[in-house]
Amino acid sequence: MTLNKNAVKAFSASITLGRNVGYSDTLIDKAAVIAFIQGYQNELIMNKNIHLSVSLSECEIILSGQREPHLKLNFINYPKFPLSEKQLKEEIEKMAKSLIEKFEQNRVVIEYPDETIMLENSGEIDPDIIMREY
């Protein structure tokens, strides 16, 4: 058996998206996030011929009294549909902004190997986190 081998420069990124609407107890449905991502991907394919593959997993963010379910969206430069690092970062950030708006998040974090970016809609902090007064 002969296999084709394709390689691209390594790239990774992740978006961490809270599953609570704002700081309420209302939980965002995982299936709704998946449907949104697929619709977003389809638009990218049709409008820009960009295939932005996402791996999605569940996790929890814990800080002080906060314990919030999250979804972690992981990205690589998929060798079948390679993009430049600049394109990947631009499209991932655009997706993060769309996720903030669609799912009423105060902020999301994008992690790259060389930097961590926080996109913030509101400076509000989860009331379950202990804050020190300065």
Side-chain angles (χ1 to χ4, degrees):
M1 172 172 38
T2 303
L3 297 175
N4 292 326
K5 180 179 177 181
N6 294 321
V8 295
K9 183 180 175 197
F11 174 89
S12 64
S14 65
I15 296 174
T16 308
L17 177 71
R19 291 202 47 208
N20 290 357
V21 176
Y23 296 120
S24 72
D25 291 331
T26 304
L27 194 64
I28 297 166
D29 183 38
K30 180 180 169 183
V33 175
I34 291 170
F36 178 81
I37 291 169
Q38 289 176 316
Y40 192 95
Q41 289 170 322
N42 291 340
E43 286 185 30
L44 277 177
I45 292 166
M46 297 305 293
N47 297 329
K48 296 183 176 182
N49 195 30
I50 291 176
H51 293 74
L52 191 60
S53 178
V54 176
S55 166
L56 185 135
S57 57
E58 296 183 48
C59 63
E60 286 185 87
I61 300 294
I62 300 165
L63 177 58
S64 181
Q66 176 195 36
R67 182 177 174 189
E68 182 182 355
H70 278 66
L71 294 173
K72 188 163 219 132
L73 288 65
N74 293 297
F75 303 84
I76 62 168
N77 193 4
Y78 187 45
K80 187 69 175 174
F81 306 108
L83 297 168
S84 71
E85 183 175 320
K86 182 178 186 259
Q87 278 183 301
L88 283 162
K89 285 187 171 187
E90 285 174 1
E91 295 304 334
I92 290 167
E93 189 169 318
K94 287 176 187 175
M95 181 184 279
K97 289 175 182 177
S98 294
L99 289 162
I100 287 173
E101 184 178 326
K102 171 68 177 173
F103 296 106
E104 301 176 46
Q105 295 297 292
N106 292 324
R107 70 191 55 83
V108 299
V109 172
I110 306 171
E111 297 174 78
Y112 298 107
D114 62 336
E115 67 181 334
T116 301
I117 298 171
M118 180 179 68
L119 300 175
E120 190 172 46
N121 188 35
S122 163
E124 188 179 356
I125 300 294
D126 188 320
D128 291 333
I129 297 174
I130 296 171
M131 295 298 293
R132 182 176 168 196
E133 296 295 324
Y134 291 93

